[in-house]
Amino acid sequence: PRHKCGNQKSCPRNYFAFKITSGAANVVGPSICFEDIVLMSSVKNNIGRGLNIALVNGTTGQLLNTDTFDMYSG
């Protein structure tokens, strides 16, 4: 069976499904999936070098904001 965000098993009731994938150099970009919706990815063109963060409301699951922080450039 298929599970949300491509996870190996379903989450318990009243829990959110998510998957965070790290990038691989400049070849594969990182991605963040939440409840089967891709929030950040190279396809959406909203990722960057460094930390990629998606802020989600912990009660409703609503996406509040996304941002990147380039830790290399200081």
Side-chain angles (χ1 to χ4, degrees):
R2 188 189 178 294
H3 304 289
K4 291 181 180 177
C5 293
N7 289 324
Q8 292 183 358
K9 59 183 182 175
S10 293
C11 292
R13 224 179 135 147
N14 298 321
Y15 283 78
F16 292 119
F18 71 94
K19 186 173 188 176
I20 300 172
T21 307
S22 179
N26 291 338
V27 180
V28 178
S31 68
I32 299 175
C33 177
F34 184 81
E35 283 295 296
D36 234 13
I37 297 170
V38 177
L39 303 180
M40 299 183 80
S41 72
S42 55
V43 173
K44 293 182 95 79
N45 199 28
N46 64 348
I47 58 169
R49 177 175 71 177
L51 299 175
N52 293 277
I53 297 175
L55 180 63
V56 177
N57 182 307
T59 302
T60 65
Q62 176 187 5
L63 176 65
L64 301 174
N65 197 9
T66 61
D67 208 344
T68 62
F69 299 92
D70 187 346
M71 304 300 285
Y72 183 76
S73 68

